[in-house]
Amino acid sequence: MSMPYLQVIRTPDQEASVGRPVQVDVEAERMPKQLHRIPQICAGQASATYDEHLPKSTDNLLGQHLTTSCLLAKPSKLPEVDVDVYLAHRPLPPPPPPPLPPLRQLTEEAGWATDACGSSQSSMRTRSSGSTPEDETDVTLAEGARRQSEGDGRKRSFTSAKVDGSRHLDTLDRRKVERSNASLPVLHDLWKPSPGIQAPSEQGLQALNPLGQDTTTAKMPEAQTRPRSRARNPWACSPLTIITTFLSLVFLLSVFHSFTKRQLDPKGCEMCMMSPAYAKFSDFDTEHTRFASKYSLYLYREGGIDEDTMVKGVPVLFIPGNAGSYKQVRPLAAEAAQYFHDTVQQDTKALKAGTRSLDFFTVDFNEDITAFHGQTLLDQAEYLNEAVAYILSLYHDPRRSRRDPELPDPCSVILIGHSMGGIVARTMLTMSNYQSNSINTIITMSAPHARPPVSFDADIVHTYKDINNYWRQAYSQKWANNNPLWHVTLISIAGGGLDTVVPSDYADLSSLVPDTHGFTVFTSTIPNVWTGADHLSILWCDQVRKVIVRSLIEVVDVHRPGQTRPRAERMRIFKRRYLTGMETIAEKSLPQQEPTTLLTLEDNSNSVLTLGQRLTVRAFGRERKAKAHLLPIPPQGSPGAKRFTLISDQPLDTPEASGKLEVLFCTVFPLQAGSSASLFSMNMDLSGDSLGSTRLACKNAAADVIRLPASTRTSKNAFDHAQPFSYLEYTLEDLADHQFIAVVDKALQLTTGWVVAEFSDNIDSIVQTGLGLRRLLILGLHVQLPASRPIVTEVKVPALHSSLLAYKLGIGKQVCGDEAELFTPLLRQYLSEPHESKYFVNVKEANINLHGIAPFMPPPLRAQAAINGVSLQLWSDPTCNTSIDMSLKVDIPGSMGKLFMRYRTVFAAFPLFVVALVLRKQFNVYDETGIFITFAASMDLCLRRSLPLLLLAMSFLAVSIGASNSVPSKPASSGLFGWRGNATESAVDYTKNDLLLGSPDPFFWFLIPLFGLASAGICVIINYSALLVLHILCLLYSLVTAKPAWIRNDDKRRSTSPVFSASTPRRRIITTTILLLLVATLIPYQFAYMVACIVQIATCTRALRFARETRSSAHYNFYNYAHSILILMLWVLPINIPVLVVWVHNLTVHWLTPFSSHHNVLSIMPFILLVETLTGGKMIPRVTTRFRYITNLLFFCLALYAAVYGVTYAYLLHRLVNIVCAWLVAVHFSASSFSLSGLTQMLECEEEEGDVKKRP
């Protein structure tokens, strides 16, 4: 029979002093007929006095409330905990038990029984403090512990001793408990105080537990009926938690609103048309590649232009990106076919120079997901190298090729990669099956070169590291012969702020490729494009595809085996096509040209301007004949570092064109009569009938013209359909070989148009600001441009270099007085590296946002001496003799949206930092008090102290890291006499921005507490969301398993049953073994992890149901523990889902080849064991020895790593949580006896069915 007892249902939360009575409410349950004495433990005290004024008869006290009091032995604070009050009674005396041997007698008196399978069970209750009740045996506890240690040699736990005999029953098998209870004899005076036996002292407890551990058992106590207190209510929420969650929601909503509504770039991409057709190469089968059953190769043909499948041009291979389709090649391939058919084919000069059509090949990857899986990326690269070899073989086969047999066979293929396809293209050159020199030109669009988009998979992180290191080491070689990538050119095109899939910061090549071999350009920079593009529209954007196709056709040269021009010439073409022409790396063609035009002027011409005079032409053809305006070039070495600028709304004519305006750079060239025609291709005679004339040998400037978007009163966006402005810009050094600049008005009748040209000093054209970021944030920037200013004025703001901040720019109104203005202010915002320019036409206000220094980005390949920051170029009408005011201020609401793209993965790592701290606090409280507090209560405690302190410490760490990064890196020491170094090693640390939030600027230290606040709020929301879901599932579970009322009333075991019945140990071991075997052979451990999460949800649902029905503190302890483990597992789940999606996708395409890296049993075994242990309702034992610091340290290390390295190496979070789970499993198993013989008995023992009904 069960031992009667009283249970405390409320204890006051107040300070108690020695000798002061403290009333405690108790409730009677299964009261005996008589009471003898009530020994009780008050708040865990080992010594107390008891109230003797309780009724001797309890006939009518069942279920009623009694009041008793206790006098504490020492000052303490009574926590809100359950205190068991044990009662002794005098039932009818049964027959005396047979005599027992001393050891067995001690064992029986301690409450131990052994079932048929050899497992020990406990039927006695312990005090909350861990001490055993008084008994009347004449064997001391210390002596009993010694004999037990000598007799059976049982394994002792480092958590709590098992000799306490509590009623924490083993929930793995309730039937064993009942048999052991039935085998216990009734000990008449076991609970009667005896003067001969004292309460166990500390020495006695140490004898029972040599390690000095808590003797609270690990098994679940019997159900205890009591109402839930506020501390036990999982829905309870403190004001501090509410305020934190509210502030977190405000911050997150502000970020989302800013991201979707503020600082948005305009969309200007136009649609394109095509008539696609695809020819599949079925013979590219398993004889060529092992991936033939998974991937396919196609040839694109444009309907109405290319009707056959014979190869005849230059091979180009398109590589789709993450989950991309092979049909995404349509816009580029269609434009290439149409442009060659309509334009190039009629240009005999271009054909003679080696220009041919482009044969576009494309690959069907079955929409493989490469962004989340490194092995898939490597598989695609291996397949593509084999595809390149096959494509080149087609041109050698006369049955497949229609090329001119006199031309050399192609030996290389041009690659175009979109998104992750660009990374696959770079990976191809690092693979073992790569054919040397088979790739020499790569163009990527929206490709994250610098770092992986997400770091959830270890393979993708390691693959990125290997690829980038290979490229960096190649370009760090001193000699070209040692560089396997010397002939390769790489162009990275980024979409800018409209790309919300991959941050355009990641497209930067400055940490990988020198500017002699490649560069990064934004679509808003490309001439005649001048608009951003999102991740997909960059493929079909009509303006972008035209530039790409024209640049590819221009670099083609079929007379060379590589099918392209030399690397240096390719780079010149790409710079001219993709860059504005105002960059420092842009090359002017004027110095390399030869004079092509002979300009003849009359001697008495008055069109020669004085030195320094500005030329302004407001209309063309006023004199009804061609007229030349000469601007003398200042001599070299003139003060002021002069430069020449010209702007016009008319296009500049080439020598053969017949437009309105032509610009020539001339020198005096005395010629003999009749010899000019043989030396110059053009003869421009403007002398008329004059006898005297001046002859000038001139070069045409049309090749160096810079196109600017038109800016008029009707202009709205840079990409509007309007004739662009023509702009020329030369330094005085560029014009060293010339004496005059001739601006020729070729119109023969009056027409509209204007041109302005001048020489200006750099000191007047450039405004250098020294305002720091902090002063800029507080005061803003105000600049007044004088009335007598040059055509273009440049304002340099070095403090504007971060991609995390956005700004508002205001331009004052341009007033021109009586004369009409030639054009409205035109603004260009640009960065020198990467090449990002944005144009604002008819500007009055402008949103300034940039892709400068971004979080987690590696430093440049070539260390920069200084950060140039953003420059603002303003073209304004110099004829309007009025000043212009410029004002710049930080847009804080607009800046919040920039955090979304740069820190999306932070919300997968930082919340785990908070969860780890919460669990750490829960285990600390549990080990100290025996109460496993709720997740919400632990969150409240963390918000009060540990979380703010850690965030403050990490903020100081961020400031320290930022300050150290701002110091120029020193070259690696080469040791004495330089023997320890080599000429090619790089001193740049490419991982220095991997810590914390990845920002090299200490100014952004405040982001750490900000993200900590947001993560805490997210954890609170997830916690209550999980509670809601579990309560709904609990309700459904209760409805499904509901019993009739008469069965429920007759079920007397409910209050003493375990949390819920579990399967037999044999069945659990077999199930776990099978699951681990599946992980080792067929399924990835990520799938097993998802199953574990589902099982844990079911465990929490059942635990919640029993806790609500029994209102037992022990059941609530277990539920809170299981719920917290579920929250921890849910935050690790996003790290495993991407790889799981890849696996499921491979199953859908019938690709069953396993990935070796995802079948590591050790990566999932602790999770499975922990979840399987919890399915039995087994509460984790308390750890009261020094081993409890291991739990504390593990959770602290997990939190610290999640905050410091969680974003860069998120995949390691799973492994760290795995280690934590392994420790928790060890704590669970430490409370159980384990041996090989016991395991054998467990597997062989057949449990008797039907003795006890299992609970649902």
Side-chain angles (χ1 to χ4, degrees):
M1 61 182 293
S2 301
M3 192 66 62
Y5 67 96
L6 292 178
Q7 179 190 11
V8 175
I9 64 172
R10 182 182 64 81
T11 58
D13 188 8
Q14 60 180 343
E15 295 288 343
S17 59
V18 177
R20 177 183 176 184
V22 179
Q23 289 192 348
V24 181
D25 291 345
V26 299
E27 180 178 358
E29 179 180 347
R30 299 192 309 279
M31 296 292 295
K33 296 298 181 181
Q34 297 180 2
L35 293 174
H36 177 70
R37 182 180 291 273
I38 305 179
Q40 95 177 26
I41 307 302
C42 294
Q45 302 299 318
S47 176
T49 59
Y50 313 112
D51 189 354
E52 301 289 344
H53 303 291
L54 290 179
K56 300 300 181 181
S57 177
T58 58
D59 294 338
N60 299 320
L61 292 181
L62 188 62
Q64 299 184 11
H65 292 271
L66 305 176
T67 300
T68 183
S69 63
C70 64
L71 299 178
L72 302 182
K74 59 181 180 180
S76 65
K77 183 175 181 179
L78 293 177
E80 294 192 57
V81 299
D82 294 328
V83 180
D84 294 334
V85 182
Y86 302 100
L87 303 179
H89 59 91
R90 294 179 178 274
L92 295 177
L100 299 174
L103 179 60
R104 182 178 178 186
Q105 181 177 357
L106 176 64
T107 305
E108 292 292 339
E109 290 172 350
W112 287 93
T114 306
D115 64 1
C117 290
S119 61
S120 300
Q121 305 296 340
S122 171
S123 62
M124 291 176 56
R125 297 179 56 85
T126 61
R127 301 181 182 182
S128 300
S129 64
S131 61
T132 57
E134 302 175 11
D135 57 26
E136 294 184 305
T137 179
D138 55 353
V139 181
T140 65
L141 294 176
E143 180 67 14
R146 183 185 62 79
R147 292 181 183 180
Q148 183 179 6
S149 174
E150 296 173 353
D152 56 9
R154 280 191 174 92
K155 172 186 175 182
R156 284 179 171 81
S157 165
F158 58 75
T159 56
S160 56
K162 294 181 57 178
V163 299
D164 58 338
S166 80
R167 49 190 188 102
H168 287 233
L169 304 178
D170 186 0
T171 59
L172 295 179
D173 193 351
R174 181 163 51 86
R175 290 168 289 183
K176 296 180 182 180
V177 178
E178 292 175 350
R179 287 201 299 271
S180 67
N181 286 342
S183 64
L184 283 174
V186 179
L187 304 179
H188 305 287
D189 297 326
L190 178 63
W191 298 98
K192 183 173 71 175
S194 173
I197 301 297
Q198 301 296 328
S201 63
E202 294 184 3
Q203 291 79 6
L205 293 177
Q206 283 286 51
L208 276 173
N209 192 357
L211 296 179
Q213 300 143 348
D214 183 20
T215 56
T216 303
T217 184
K219 300 170 185 175
M220 292 297 300
E222 298 179 43
Q224 303 171 8
T225 304
R226 70 170 187 87
R228 282 184 295 170
S229 64
R230 181 178 180 275
R232 292 290 184 178
N233 183 9
W235 294 99
C237 190
S238 67
L240 178 59
T241 305
I242 295 175
I243 294 173
T244 301
T245 307
F246 174 76
L247 294 178
S248 173
L249 285 176
V250 170
F251 170 71
L252 294 175
L253 291 177
S254 300
V255 170
F256 180 76
H257 177 268
S258 175
F259 176 71
T260 56
K261 300 296 183 182
R262 294 180 177 270
Q263 289 281 338
L264 301 181
D265 295 337
K267 299 179 179 180
C269 281
E270 298 178 357
M271 294 296 294
C272 54
M273 302 297 295
M274 69 284 295
S275 300
Y278 305 92
K280 183 178 179 180
F281 292 98
S282 301
D283 55 344
F284 185 50
D285 51 17
T286 53
E287 294 183 0
H288 299 84
T289 174
R290 64 188 181 99
F291 299 101
S293 61
K294 185 179 182 181
Y295 303 143
S296 303
L297 181 66
Y298 290 86
L299 173 65
Y300 179 90
R301 285 296 181 240
E302 179 68 10
I305 298 177
D306 295 326
E307 301 295 343
D308 59 81
T309 59
M310 304 284 285
V311 295
K312 52 193 173 184
V314 176
V316 179
L317 179 59
F318 174 80
I319 308 173
N322 180 63
S325 170
Y326 69 99
K327 297 181 180 180
Q328 290 175 326
V329 73
R330 293 173 296 177
L332 291 171
E335 174 62 22
Q338 293 170 2
Y339 178 68
F340 182 83
H341 180 268
D342 298 338
T343 305
V344 181
Q345 199 169 13
Q346 283 74 37
D347 189 351
T348 57
K349 183 179 179 181
L351 295 176
K352 187 178 297 185
T355 303
R356 293 294 186 273
S357 62
L358 303 178
D359 291 329
F360 269 86
F361 297 85
T362 182
V363 182
D364 182 11
F365 285 137
N366 278 311
E367 299 182 358
D368 254 350
I369 303 174
T370 52
F372 306 142
H373 199 240
Q375 186 59 49
T376 300
L377 189 149
L378 295 175
D379 290 347
Q380 290 186 1
E382 179 183 344
Y383 174 81
L384 288 174
N385 276 330
E386 293 161 347
V388 167
Y390 175 79
I391 291 171
L392 294 176
S393 69
L394 296 176
Y395 291 86
H396 302 166
D397 188 354
R399 298 170 299 176
R400 297 288 190 90
S401 175
R402 291 177 55 188
R403 282 172 57 96
D404 187 349
E406 296 181 358
L407 295 176
D409 293 328
C411 67
S412 68
V413 176
I414 299 174
L415 299 183
I416 298 179
H418 172 246
S419 185
M420 292 300 295
I423 310 305
V424 176
R426 288 179 48 227
T427 308
M428 293 170 61
L429 283 78
T430 68
M431 302 293 290
S432 58
N433 65 339
Y434 167 67
Q435 295 183 9
S436 180
N437 298 327
S438 61
I439 299 170
N440 61 22
T441 302
I442 303 175
I443 295 180
T444 65
M445 295 178 286
S446 299
H449 291 287
R451 55 176 291 109
V454 292
S455 57
F456 294 165
D457 178 48
D459 287 345
I460 196 71
V461 175
H462 296 155
T463 301
Y464 255 86
K465 182 179 180 181
D466 294 340
I467 297 169
N468 290 348
N469 286 341
Y470 178 86
W471 282 68
R472 288 167 183 153
Q473 292 174 5
Y475 287 119
S476 65
Q477 300 301 316
K478 184 176 182 180
W479 305 106
N481 293 335
N482 298 329
N483 182 2
L485 305 177
W486 181 257
H487 63 289
V488 178
T489 55
L490 175 61
I491 308 300
S492 176
I493 304 175
L498 292 179
D499 190 346
T500 58
V501 176
V502 174
S504 291
D505 306 281
Y506 293 179
D508 187 15
L509 296 176
S510 60
S511 64
L512 300 170
V513 180
D515 54 17
T516 56
H517 290 74
F519 55 84
T520 304
V521 64
F522 286 73
T523 56
S524 58
T525 305
I526 302 175
N528 297 324
V529 177
W530 298 321
T531 180
D534 61 45
H535 198 67
L536 292 178
S537 67
I538 197 172
L539 284 169
W540 53 258
C541 184
D542 188 56
Q543 302 98 307
V544 175
R545 69 166 186 159
K546 287 180 178 178
V547 176
I548 294 176
V549 166
R550 283 156 177 76
S551 66
L552 287 178
I553 290 181
E554 194 170 350
V555 300
V556 164
D557 184 1
V558 294
H559 299 124
R560 296 170 54 88
Q563 302 298 292
T564 58
R565 302 180 187 276
R567 179 191 56 81
E569 192 171 348
R570 271 180 282 148
M571 286 301 299
R572 280 195 295 268
I573 294 173
F574 287 141
K575 290 176 182 178
R576 186 175 71 252
R577 287 287 184 179
Y578 294 111
L579 301 183
T580 63
M582 293 176 280
E583 292 82 4
T584 56
I585 66 172
E587 299 178 11
K588 302 293 185 182
S589 64
L590 185 66
Q592 287 77 33
Q593 291 183 22
E594 294 294 333
T596 58
T597 302
L598 178 62
L599 179 61
T600 305
L601 301 175
E602 56 182 352
D603 289 338
N604 57 353
S605 174
N606 58 2
S607 60
V608 179
L609 281 69
T610 60
L611 189 63
Q613 182 181 358
R614 177 185 296 143
L615 170 66
T616 303
V617 178
R618 293 183 173 272
F620 294 103
R622 290 183 182 272
E623 299 185 7
R624 303 301 192 270
K625 65 177 182 179
K627 181 179 180 180
H629 304 272
L630 294 183
L631 282 76
I633 298 176
Q636 296 296 318
S638 299
K642 295 183 179 297
R643 64 174 177 174
F644 171 76
T645 54
L646 177 146
I647 188 170
S648 175
D649 64 344
Q650 301 297 316
L652 301 187
D653 285 354
T654 58
E656 298 84 4
S658 58
K660 300 179 183 179
L661 181 63
E662 186 172 354
V663 179
L664 303 172
F665 293 85
C666 308
T667 58
V668 176
F669 191 77
L671 291 175
Q672 299 296 328
S675 62
S676 62
S678 61
L679 296 177
F680 299 95
S681 58
M682 287 294 299
N683 186 3
M684 185 179 297
D685 189 356
L686 305 182
S687 62
D689 298 331
S690 176
L691 298 177
S693 61
T694 301
R695 295 177 176 86
L696 302 177
C698 302
K699 300 178 183 179
N700 189 281
D704 290 334
V705 68
I706 298 170
R707 293 180 179 86
L708 300 176
S711 180
T712 63
R713 288 297 178 186
T714 60
S715 300
K716 294 183 179 179
N717 296 296
F719 49 80
D720 291 341
H721 292 281
Q723 176 67 40
F725 288 172
S726 298
Y727 178 67
L728 290 176
E729 182 179 271
Y730 293 97
T731 63
L732 204 57
E733 290 75 13
D734 296 329
L735 308 179
D737 297 333
H738 305 87
Q739 297 171 325
F740 295 95
I741 300 175
V743 180
V744 183
D745 177 3
K746 300 166 61 176
L748 302 179
Q749 58 183 358
L750 184 63
T751 58
T752 59
W754 52 265
V755 62
V756 180
E758 68 178 4
F759 280 93
S760 59
D761 295 337
N762 284 339
I763 192 172
D764 298 328
S765 302
I766 298 177
V767 178
Q768 189 76 38
T769 62
L771 199 63
L773 185 58
R774 291 164 181 79
R775 292 185 59 191
L776 180 63
L777 182 64
I778 299 173
L779 304 176
L781 175 65
H782 301 276
V783 176
Q784 185 179 50
L785 304 181
S788 59
R789 60 184 177 275
I791 297 174
V792 57
T793 305
E794 184 172 348
V795 180
K796 293 183 176 293
V797 190
L800 271 67
H801 58 259
S802 175
S803 61
L804 298 178
L805 294 178
Y807 307 87
K808 286 284 189 181
L809 178 67
I811 302 293
K813 186 177 180 180
Q814 177 178 269
V815 180
C816 288
D818 297 336
E819 292 185 331
E821 61 184 0
L822 300 177
F823 61 96
T824 55
L826 169 65
L827 180 70
R828 175 194 174 218
Q829 163 212 328
Y830 78 92
L831 284 172
S832 58
E833 188 66 36
H835 302 295
E836 180 186 23
S837 296
K838 293 182 180 180
Y839 293 93
F840 303 91
V841 297
N842 193 20
V843 60
K844 300 179 180 65
E845 292 182 352
N847 291 327
I848 306 297
N849 54 80
L850 57 142
H851 295 83
I853 298 179
F856 307 109
M857 288 291 292
L861 190 65
R862 302 289 186 261
Q864 299 176 351
I867 299 175
N868 297 324
V870 169
S871 295
L872 303 173
Q873 278 186 310
L874 181 67
W875 287 267
S876 58
D877 188 352
T879 62
C880 300
N881 196 20
T882 56
S883 60
I884 294 181
D885 293 328
M886 295 180 62
S887 62
L888 183 71
K889 60 181 180 180
V890 178
D891 183 8
I892 296 179
S895 300
M896 298 184 71
K898 306 307 173 186
L899 300 176
F900 179 82
M901 285 301 298
R902 279 78 180 185
Y903 287 115
R904 289 180 299 180
T905 53
V906 165
F907 295 106
F910 244 65
L912 197 57
F913 157 74
V914 178
V915 171
L917 291 180
V918 171
L919 278 164
R920 172 176 169 268
K921 177 61 68 175
Q922 285 180 298
F923 276 94
N924 284 346
V925 174
Y926 176 63
D927 291 337
E928 292 175 1
T929 66
I931 300 300
F932 205 95
I933 59 178
T934 64
F935 189 91
S938 181
M939 174 67 76
D940 179 64
L941 295 176
C942 291
L943 290 175
R944 296 178 185 276
R945 184 172 182 180
S946 59
L947 189 59
L949 288 178
L950 273 178
L951 292 177
L952 180 62
M954 288 190 296
S955 299
F956 282 111
L957 178 62
V959 174
S960 176
I961 294 174
S964 63
N965 288 340
S966 61
V967 178
S969 58
K970 298 181 180 179
S973 176
S974 57
L976 188 63
F977 304 113
W979 290 350
R980 291 168 51 191
N982 61 71
T984 60
E985 67 180 354
S986 175
V988 181
D989 181 13
Y990 296 102
T991 63
K992 67 179 184 180
N993 294 331
D994 290 348
L995 296 175
L996 289 175
L997 297 182
S999 177
D1001 192 342
F1003 173 80
F1004 296 100
W1005 65 268
F1006 61 88
L1007 290 178
I1008 291 179
L1010 199 60
F1011 282 124
L1013 172 70
S1015 300
I1018 293 175
C1019 290
V1020 172
I1021 295 173
I1022 293 297
N1023 174 54
Y1024 285 108
S1025 299
L1027 280 175
L1028 179 62
V1029 172
L1030 290 176
H1031 277 73
I1032 294 175
L1033 294 177
C1034 179
L1035 177 61
L1036 297 177
Y1037 178 63
S1038 300
L1039 293 177
V1040 171
T1041 60
K1043 291 183 178 181
W1046 63 274
I1047 295 180
R1048 294 197 302 268
N1049 294 334
D1050 191 56
D1051 190 3
K1052 299 299 184 181
R1053 298 191 183 101
R1054 176 173 295 274
S1055 62
T1056 61
S1057 66
V1059 174
F1060 37 74
S1061 299
S1063 60
T1064 62
R1066 176 183 180 183
R1067 186 177 305 170
R1068 293 173 57 201
I1069 292 175
I1070 294 175
T1071 303
T1072 303
T1073 303
I1074 292 175
L1075 185 58
L1076 292 178
L1077 287 176
L1078 289 176
V1079 170
T1081 56
L1082 296 178
I1083 64 176
Y1085 70 80
Q1086 290 84 356
F1087 180 82
Y1089 183 84
M1090 186 186 68
V1091 173
C1093 290
I1094 296 175
V1095 173
Q1096 185 65 15
I1097 292 175
T1099 300
C1100 292
T1101 302
R1102 300 173 70 187
L1104 177 60
R1105 178 198 174 189
F1106 280 90
R1108 294 177 63 184
E1109 289 182 354
T1110 61
R1111 296 181 177 272
S1112 165
S1113 63
H1115 288 173
Y1116 273 107
N1117 270 355
F1118 175 76
Y1119 167 70
N1120 292 336
Y1121 169 55
H1123 177 81
S1124 297
I1125 295 297
L1126 174 62
I1127 296 297
L1128 178 65
M1129 295 178 67
L1130 289 179
W1131 277 114
V1132 182
L1133 185 60
I1135 300 175
N1136 294 277
I1137 284 181
V1139 176
L1140 182 61
V1141 172
V1142 173
W1143 179 71
V1144 173
H1145 174 268
N1146 286 340
L1147 292 181
T1148 60
V1149 298
H1150 309 291
W1151 184 256
L1152 305 179
T1153 303
F1155 299 112
S1156 58
S1157 59
H1158 300 149
H1159 295 275
N1160 187 354
V1161 175
L1162 297 179
S1163 296
I1164 192 61
M1165 181 184 292
F1167 287 105
I1168 294 178
L1169 294 178
L1170 179 61
V1171 170
E1172 188 64 28
T1173 302
L1174 294 181
T1175 56
K1178 186 175 182 180
M1179 183 62 185
I1180 190 170
R1182 292 172 59 190
V1183 183
T1184 58
T1185 64
R1186 293 181 179 179
F1187 286 101
R1188 69 179 182 270
Y1189 296 120
I1190 298 180
T1191 308
N1192 194 325
L1193 181 63
L1194 286 176
F1195 279 111
F1196 181 79
C1197 291
L1198 173 61
L1200 196 62
Y1201 182 89
V1204 177
Y1205 279 106
V1207 178
T1208 307
Y1209 306 102
Y1211 67 92
L1212 285 176
L1213 293 175
H1214 173 95
R1215 302 180 184 180
L1216 291 178
V1217 177
N1218 191 45
I1219 294 175
V1220 172
C1221 290
W1223 169 251
L1224 296 181
V1225 170
V1227 174
H1228 273 285
F1229 285 176
S1230 68
S1232 304
S1233 299
F1234 180 80
S1235 64
L1236 293 179
S1237 60
L1239 179 63
T1240 303
Q1241 293 178 2
M1242 187 180 302
L1243 294 175
E1244 294 179 353
C1245 179
E1246 292 290 341
E1247 301 294 340
E1248 298 179 3
E1249 300 290 340
D1251 291 345
V1252 179
K1253 293 183 179 180
K1254 291 187 178 182
R1255 299 184 59 82

